[in-house]
Amino acid sequence: MSTQSPSGTESLGPDFSNGKLVAAIAQDAESGEVLMLAWMNEEAYRETLATSQATYYSRSRGRLWRKGEESGHVQRVREVRFDCDGDAILLLVDQTGPACHEGYRSCFFRRVDSQGVTIIAERMRDPSEIYRKP
Amino acid sequence: MSTQSPSGTESLGPDFSNGKLVAAIAQDAESGEVLMLAWMNEEAYRETLATSQATYYSRSRGRLWRKGEESGHVQRVREVRFDCDGDAILLLVDQTGPACHEGYRSCFFRRVDSQGVTIIAERMRDPSEIYRKP
């Protein structure tokens, strides 16, 4: 998978060399809302492309993380883009339910300004219900 | 600057402990287009809040990077958000000119799918003109 850009630079894709993790932004394909930022290794990236289901690399768990595997809040991937330097990925997704493990649609539910921090969104679901074992 | 979230978690802001860099997404405040991803240290974050001009930390140059300092393509910051885990920042900005050093409005001008990589945007400016010394 490569192309020739107008400047003649070869663009193979994101740079996963030496086991690097690449930041991946998930954006709601309809509303444009930025939902979350997570990380991908090459395996997660390839699986995302192959399945059209957002798959990340969980740094805390040290393994692939198929978004929604526990919560059911999956992301169907409509389009994958990557940036000029190959060190960031943008996914345009259809998000089922809240993207955030705290039950908000977007993980970016806190605004900061000179007054301090304000919660600017409503919770969609109670986190204790999202992760309750059956 | 702190607040009490509904879950009782104290939210001081992004986590810059131990000199950590935090990923910062710039999103066009009007169109919702994701323009770029860069990095902030605590100094960059504080300067961004204080000046409402996007300021990042350049990993390649090892110093603060006031977006547009060479190109003139500044970002006026309308709003700053941060995510649930305090490890990502979202800036809603008014972007002057192209955000990308390659002359595209957004750094995410390449789409990848099973057919390969496609350039999906038009260049706004020739990079050689952006950085030409006077």
Side-chain angles (χ1 to χ4, degrees), chain A residues 5-26:
Chain A
S5 84
S7 66
T9 313
E10 187 86 1
S11 303
L12 295 166
D15 176 16
F16 295 106
S17 61
N18 302 314
K20 263 202 283 281
L21 298 180
V22 174
I25 303 159

Side-chain angles (χ1 to χ4, degrees), chain B residues 5 10-11 17 19 29-30 33 46 51 53 61 69 73 79 84 91 94 97-98 102 112-115 123:
Chain B
S5 84
E10 187 86 0
S11 303
S17 61
E30 286 295 332
E33 187 176 21
R46 291 192 180 283
T51 65
Q53 296 290 328
R61 287 171 276 188
E69 63 190 9
H73 300 150
E79 194 170 319
C84 48
L91 305 179
D94 296 317
E102 291 201 31
V112 59
D113 58 23
S114 57
Q115 306 301 304
R123 263 211 169 97

Side-chain angles (χ1 to χ4, degrees), chain A residues 1-7 9-13 23-25 27 32-34 36-37 39 45 49 59 79-85 87-90 100-102 104 106-120 123, chain B residues 1-7 9-13 23-25 27 32-34 36-37 39 45 49 59 79-85 87-90 100-102 104 106-120 123:
Chain A
M1 295 188 297
S2 71
T3 193
Q4 206 70 13
S5 84
S7 66
T9 313
E10 187 86 1
S11 303
L12 295 166
I25 303 159
Q27 181 179 31
E33 186 176 20
V34 173
M36 54 182 277
L37 183 138
W39 300 87
Y45 175 70
L49 284 173
R59 296 184 298 177
E79 194 170 318
V80 179
R81 300 180 189 165
F82 61 94
D83 78 350
C84 48
D85 295 326
D87 65 359
I89 293 164
L90 177 63
C100 180
H101 73 290
E102 291 202 30
Y104 294 88
S106 163
C107 293
F108 295 94
F109 58 85
R110 291 188 181 97
R111 183 185 68 209
V112 58
D113 59 23
S114 57
Q115 306 302 303
V117 176
T118 310
I119 307 251
I120 56 168
R123 263 211 169 97
Chain B
M1 294 187 297
S2 72
T3 191
Q4 205 72 12
S5 84
S7 67
T9 314
E10 187 86 0
S11 303
L12 295 165
I25 303 159
Q27 180 178 30
E33 187 176 21
V34 173
M36 54 180 279
L37 182 138
W39 300 88
Y45 175 70
L49 284 173
R59 295 184 299 177
E79 194 170 319
V80 179
R81 299 178 190 168
F82 62 94
D83 78 348
C84 48
D85 295 328
D87 65 359
I89 293 163
L90 177 64
C100 181
H101 73 289
E102 291 201 31
Y104 294 88
S106 164
C107 294
F108 295 94
F109 58 84
R110 291 187 180 99
R111 184 186 66 209
V112 59
D113 58 23
S114 57
Q115 306 301 304
V117 176
T118 310
I119 307 250
I120 56 168
R123 263 211 169 97

Side-chain angles (χ1 to χ4, degrees), chain B residues 20-44:
Chain B
K20 264 202 284 280
L21 298 180
V22 174
I25 303 159
Q27 180 178 30
D28 188 299
E30 286 295 332
S31 69
E33 187 176 21
V34 173
L35 299 171
M36 54 180 279
L37 182 138
W39 300 88
M40 286 189 179
N41 62 3
E42 188 162 9
E43 190 183 357

